[in-house]
Amino acid sequence: MGLLAYLKTQFVLHLLIGFVFVVSGLVINFTQLCTLALWPINKQLYRRLNCRLAYSLWSQLVMLLEWWSCTECTLFTDQATVDHFGKEHVVIILNHNFEIDFLCGWTMCERFGVLGSSKVLAKKELLYVPLIGWTWYFLEIVFCKRKWEEDRDTVIEGLRRLADYPEYMWFLLYCEGTRFTETKHRVSMEVAASKGLPPLKHHLLPRTKGFTTAVQCLRGTVAAVYDVTLNFRGNKNPSLLGILYGKKYEADMCVRRFPVEEIPQDEKGAAQWLHRLYQEKDALQEMYKQKGVFPGEQIRPARRPWTLLNFLCWATVLLSPLLSFALGVFASGSPLLILTFLGFVGAASFGVRRLIGVTEIEKGSSYGNQEFKKKE
């Protein structure tokens, strides 16, 4: 193991990275709170500012993937599709199998200039997660309880509010509703059989309400739907902790572009279109399992320096006074002061670990184990 690889495994560095992320996030959230005063005066200026504030936070996570772990992301698509990236409003459909699938998606958003304006249909519980949920609130993210009877009006209102968004946005949908597990897959396929739908081997049965509603509400705003099927070479199952420890992965993403005009306007037709799409996604995953590659031209967009420069700026501003303070504490020789400081470090470590835990598969929600048995 080289020196750099060894350093990446050290807890103290992880703690410092977490400190920078948490403190900068709190500063960014406070700044976002102040920008609320702009909303009644100039809504579009408020939105543009918050896109850049969000970028300053999310890009720190992208930096970990791109520069810390040096994970490679390869697109399997065609140049004509790539030429549209970052130049239109779109809905993204991504499979939900991995702890860092969102991070791979963010990496592509960053490389095509839409990271700050990226959107997602998120479960309401995330609204209360510090930094992540708070930042999403100011970005007008659409939150839902995943109970359509209660969500319908809220989701429709939130989507329609985005119709005049000034920055090109990629709106992410996890149509499966929850992350893939074997238990959820078994229950999901029981539902598929009861509905006379073909079984899926690598995906859960897609929940169509969110997709059909998003397409209906954003029709005229979004130009296309991008279907993204993600997998990792070597049958790896990466985690955010693995990224933090500097482990390098190779992510492959098969991207297909469907103009929104190709999607039926009626809800039943759009739902059938989505089910056919997931059958195709399943075939793509089976092909990847057999051959180790997706079909299409391999394109590897160049990483940009801005994520690294952003993190280094925050680290310089925040770590310099922290290190000076720590030296002063230990130089004082006061047991009470030293114990208090160590207690703060322990609390910070616990907080960072809890934030990481949000992405862990084994700590995911039980949504899907029984919810698939209910009518959509």
Side-chain angles (χ1 to χ4, degrees), residues 325-346:
F325 177 74
L327 290 174
V329 167
F330 286 101
S332 70
S334 168
L336 179 61
L337 196 58
I338 293 173
L339 288 175
T340 301
F341 178 75
L342 293 177
F344 169 78
V345 170

Side-chain angles (χ1 to χ4, degrees), residues 23 35 82 88 101 111 114 129 174 218 235 251 268 279 311 320 336 361 366 375:
V23 177
T35 65
V82 174
E88 58 185 357
D101 46 30
R111 295 188 186 189
V114 294
V129 176
Y174 287 120
L218 295 175
N235 200 30
K268 182 178 179 181
Q279 292 163 27
F311 177 79
S320 296
L336 179 61
I361 291 176
S366 59
K375 290 185 178 180

Side-chain angles (χ1 to χ4, degrees), residues 109-129:
C109 287
E110 200 288 321
R111 295 188 186 189
F112 293 98
V114 294
L115 176 59
S117 58
S118 61
K119 310 293 180 188
V120 66
L121 183 62
K123 58 185 179 182
K124 192 171 184 179
E125 294 88 339
L126 290 175
L127 174 61
Y128 308 106
V129 176

Side-chain angles (χ1 to χ4, degrees), residues 118-122 135-143 161:
S118 61
K119 310 293 180 188
V120 66
L121 183 62
T135 302
W136 275 351
Y137 171 80
F138 294 109
L139 279 177
E140 303 169 76
I141 293 299
V142 182
F143 292 96
R161 192 167 53 237

Side-chain angles (χ1 to χ4, degrees), residues 262-322:
E262 295 183 4
I263 302 172
Q265 295 190 26
D266 64 290
E267 182 177 345
K268 182 178 179 181
Q272 292 173 344
W273 184 91
L274 183 65
H275 282 301
R276 288 195 299 270
L277 182 76
Y278 266 79
Q279 292 163 27
E280 294 172 5
K281 288 173 72 70
D282 219 50
L284 286 170
Q285 286 286 43
E286 184 63 23
M287 178 186 296
Y288 190 91
K289 182 178 179 181
Q290 298 296 329
K291 299 182 178 180
V293 292
F294 288 118
E297 179 184 355
Q298 295 188 35
I299 300 174
R300 186 171 293 174
R303 61 182 179 180
R304 308 192 304 173
W306 312 122
T307 58
L308 181 61
L309 292 175
N310 174 75
F311 177 79
L312 291 177
C313 286
W314 278 114
T316 301
V317 170
L318 297 176
L319 292 183
S320 296
L322 175 68

Side-chain angles (χ1 to χ4, degrees), residues 341-371:
F341 178 75
L342 293 177
F344 169 78
V345 170
S349 173
F350 176 77
V352 171
R353 189 64 184 80
R354 286 295 298 271
L355 283 174
I356 293 174
V358 171
T359 71
E360 292 180 346
I361 291 176
E362 63 270 20
K363 294 185 180 179
S365 71
S366 59
Y367 177 75
N369 292 339
Q370 299 299 326
E371 287 295 321

